[in-house]
Amino acid sequence: YVRAKARNAHGFGAYTDIMSGTPKSIPSAPLNVKLEVISGDCLEISFSPPSIPSDASGIHSYSIQWDYQDDFRNANSHSASCSSTRFGNCNLSQLLDPYPRLYVFYGLTPNDIYYVQAAARNGVEVQSIDPSGSSPDNTNWSAVFTARPAD
C-alpha cells in the first residue's frame, strides 16, 4: 500500500488516496527444457513453466529462439520469425499444449548444429539493461541447448 503528499513553498498538501499494487518481476527461465531431434530438418523443444512466478497463470507467452550461430545473431534479426528457415524467433501464446509445452520447428539444414533457448513472458515488458549490448535485455533465457537434425 502507498500514499503520498507533496510539499511546496506553501507547505504540505493532503495525502492522496491509498493505492495498492502487486510487485511484478520478469519470469525465471522455463524448467525441464529438452531438445529432441525429430528428423533431418526438424527439432522439438519441450519445457515446463518457470518457478517464478509461482502461479503459472501470470505467464502470457513463451519465446523460443533457434539459430545455427551460437550468439543468436540471426534469431535476433528483424527477418527472424516462427516460419523463417535455419533460424527463428517465435513468441507463443500461453495456450500451448498441456505440460510439458511443446514446439516443433522446421526448415533446418540436416547435420548443422543448432542452438536453442526458451524464455517465459508476463506483463513486465522487456527492457534494455546494458548500453554496451553484451546483455541486450532483461530476459531470463533457459540454458542454450544444441542438437544436430538428422534422419
Side-chain angles (χ1 to χ4, degrees):
Y1 299 96
V2 66
R3 67 182 185 164
K5 67 179 178 176
R7 180 179 142 185
N8 64 20
H10 301 288
F12 285 98
Y15 277 104
T16 62
D17 292 337
I18 295 174
M19 295 186 209
S20 66
T22 303
K24 292 188 177 184
S25 64
I26 56 174
S28 58
L31 300 174
N32 306 315
V33 179
K34 293 182 183 150
L35 184 62
E36 307 255 346
V37 174
I38 303 299
S39 70
D41 72 342
C42 178
L43 297 174
E44 175 186 83
I45 188 171
S46 63
F47 50 89
S48 298
S51 60
I52 298 172
S54 58
D55 176 10
S57 67
I59 304 299
H60 63 69
S61 64
Y62 292 93
S63 294
I64 310 294
Q65 289 187 331
W66 63 97
D67 204 328
Y68 58 92
Q69 299 285 338
D70 64 355
D71 62 0
F72 293 91
R73 74 181 74 163
N74 300 301
N76 286 313
S77 70
H78 293 291
S79 61
S81 70
C82 295
S83 59
S84 54
T85 57
R86 296 195 70 210
F87 58 88
N89 189 343
C90 196
N91 291 310
L92 308 168
S93 163
Q94 165 71 325
L95 303 174
L96 296 169
D97 297 326
Y99 305 117
R101 305 293 194 211
L102 301 172
Y103 182 70
V104 178
F105 36 101
Y106 304 89
L108 308 178
T109 302
N111 298 313
D112 278 359
I113 295 175
Y114 285 89
Y115 304 87
V116 182
Q117 61 186 1
R121 304 287 187 199
N122 64 4
V124 178
E125 292 190 32
V126 174
Q127 301 167 15
S128 295
I129 57 172
D130 183 357
S132 73
S134 62
S135 180
D137 61 45
N138 60 349
T139 301
N140 284 321
W141 290 100
S142 67
V144 175
F145 292 83
T146 60
R148 187 184 303 262
D151 287 321

